[in-house]
């Protein structure tokens, strides 16, 4: 049996007794390591659709001549899924304003989207989608006219999700620019870290917590961007922050952020000030300096 990916023969260890499903599972693992996903399949020139695959899966490789796999960058594939979701949100924005002929179709399409494409999204994005689906279901159960409570809740969720997923799309489409933008955002807001003790001492707890959340989100955004930078040929493995590789830096900084969050909960303004000035801010600064140095000029 011959195995081809996008028309090119690939070498993959398998034995005559292996099933086609086993071979495809190994191919999927190899492709995943290169940042690709299988989006199409054919056997001896005949396309294999999802409905016919179960019957094919257990057949021996000795019964197959050529298996052709169509693979696509997982980032591009996920980006297309996000674009589809953003189009759904634009339809939803019209539906909540009273275009009832769109309302039922919109709700059905969101449910189908979550069902069919959930596997493409990481846990945090999937939770957004599930929560949105629940919000829509609640609106349907209420059966109230447009522009009243439930539909208003859907409209608010649409606005928030549009912002979140446009940002995620930008991370996939142009991770280099997004990294530079995130570095500039941190540099512009870094002084906010040093204001935390003062805000707590003056009763501005909500502002202080907002600042903590913002910087945790900035760090999480960097973690999302790193694999995308790697796919663009940037040698992230060689990046060093305070003599630590990225993985080790991530582990140590996560511990600091957990302590930072606890200090906020305990309203320990002295510890918050020390962590912000001597731990969080310097490490964030070092992280972005190292990232900017690694980016193409």
């Amino acid at each position: 049996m011959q195995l081809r990916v996008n028309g090119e023969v690939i070498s993959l260890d398998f034995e005559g007794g292996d099933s086609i499903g086993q071979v495809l599972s190994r191919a999927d693992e190899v492709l995943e390591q290169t940042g690709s996903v299988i989006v199409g399949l054919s056997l001896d020139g005949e396309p294999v659709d999802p409905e016919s695959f179960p019957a094919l899966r257990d057949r021996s490789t000795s019964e197959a001549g050529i298996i052709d796999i169509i693979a696509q960058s997982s980032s591009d594939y996920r980006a297309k899924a996000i674009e589809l979701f953003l189009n759904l949100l634009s339809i939803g924005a019209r539906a909540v304003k009273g275009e009832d002929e769109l309302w039922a179709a919109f709700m059905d399409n969101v449910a189908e989207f979550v069902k069919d494409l959930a596997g493409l999204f990481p846990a945090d994005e999937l939770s957004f989608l599930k929560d949105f689906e629940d919000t829509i279901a609640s609106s349907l159960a209420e059966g109230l006219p447009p522009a009243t409570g439930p539909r208003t809740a859907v409209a608010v969720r649409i606005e928030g999700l549009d912002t979140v997923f446009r940002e995620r799309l930008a991370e996939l489409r142009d991770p280099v620019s997004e990294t530079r933008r995130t570095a500039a955002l941190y540099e512009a807001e870094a002084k906010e870290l040093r204001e935390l003790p003062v805000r707590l001492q003056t009763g501005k707890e909500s502002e202080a917590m907002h600042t903590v959340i913002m910087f945790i989100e900035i760090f999480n955004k960097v973690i999302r961007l790193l694999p995308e930078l790697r796919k663009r040929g940037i040698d992230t493995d060689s990046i060093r922050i305070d003599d630590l590789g990225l993985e080790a830096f991530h582990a140590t900084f996560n511990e600091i952020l957990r302590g930072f969050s606890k200090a906020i909960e305990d309203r320990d303004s002295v510890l918050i000030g020390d962590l912000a000035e001597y731990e969080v801010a310097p490490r964030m600064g070092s992280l972005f300096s190292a990232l900017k140095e690694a980016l193409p000029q």
Side-chain angles (χ1 to χ4, degrees), residues 2 4 41-48 64-70:
Q2 189 179 73
R4 300 190 300 204
L41 186 67
S42 66
L43 173 62
D44 295 329
E46 292 295 324
V48 177
I66 299 175
I67 293 181
D68 277 298
I69 293 173
I70 301 174

Side-chain angles (χ1 to χ4, degrees), residues 46-286:
E46 292 295 324
V48 177
D49 57 35
E51 289 74 21
S52 59
F53 179 72
L56 170 70
R57 180 178 52 207
D58 296 328
R59 287 172 55 184
S60 170
T61 54
S62 62
E63 300 178 41
I66 299 175
I67 293 181
D68 277 298
I69 293 173
I70 301 174
Q72 187 176 22
S73 161
S74 56
S75 296
D76 287 344
Y77 200 54
R78 201 162 77 83
K80 290 178 181 178
I82 290 176
E83 288 173 342
L84 176 58
F85 184 60
L86 289 171
N87 286 335
L88 279 178
L89 291 179
S90 68
I91 293 172
R94 290 162 53 198
V96 296
K97 292 179 180 178
E99 296 186 35
D100 285 338
E101 69 277 8
L102 292 175
W103 185 241
F106 168 64
M107 291 186 291
D108 289 342
N109 284 333
V110 169
E112 285 297 314
F113 178 88
V114 175
K115 176 184 174 183
D116 294 341
L117 298 177
L120 292 174
F121 295 92
D124 62 330
E125 292 177 7
L126 184 58
S127 69
F128 294 150
L129 295 175
K130 293 285 190 181
D131 180 66
F132 185 51
E133 191 177 15
D134 291 343
T135 301
I136 293 173
S138 296
S139 177
L140 178 63
E142 292 288 344
L144 296 178
T148 56
R151 283 207 189 181
T152 300
V154 173
V156 171
R157 294 293 294 140
I158 286 174
E159 184 176 350
L161 287 172
D162 187 81
T163 299
V164 168
F165 280 93
R166 286 190 186 281
E167 179 179 6
R168 299 297 172 93
L169 181 61
E171 292 169 5
L172 295 171
R173 291 299 193 203
D174 194 349
V176 173
S177 293
E178 278 298 292
T179 301
R180 289 197 176 101
R181 189 180 71 82
T182 306
L185 174 63
Y186 170 74
E187 291 164 1
E189 301 292 337
K191 64 181 184 299
E192 298 293 328
L193 283 172
R194 296 177 174 84
E195 297 295 324
L196 287 175
V198 175
R199 287 177 176 168
L200 287 171
Q201 291 164 5
T202 55
K204 298 178 180 178
E205 289 90 351
S206 62
E207 292 182 16
M209 186 54 71
H210 174 76
T211 298
V212 173
I213 291 172
M214 177 180 68
F215 283 100
I216 290 175
E217 283 300 311
I218 286 175
F219 183 60
N220 286 338
K221 183 178 176 71
V222 171
I223 298 306
R224 292 195 304 270
L225 283 166
L226 286 171
E228 301 306 321
L229 292 174
R230 194 174 297 118
K231 291 174 187 176
R232 299 302 175 100
I234 294 172
D235 185 11
T236 56
D237 290 337
S238 67
I239 293 176
R240 291 290 180 271
I241 305 109
D242 300 329
D243 295 325
L244 294 175
L246 282 171
E247 186 174 343
F249 174 82
H250 186 193
T252 57
F253 195 42
N254 265 341
E255 286 297 320
I256 292 169
L257 289 177
R258 278 193 284 270
F260 193 37
S261 296
K262 188 176 187 307
I264 289 287
E265 293 173 9
D266 296 340
R267 300 185 181 183
D268 187 340
S269 59
V270 174
L271 180 57
I272 289 167
D274 286 345
L275 288 173
E277 184 172 0
Y278 300 113
E279 299 288 352
V280 178
R283 279 175 168 77
M284 290 286 280
S286 296

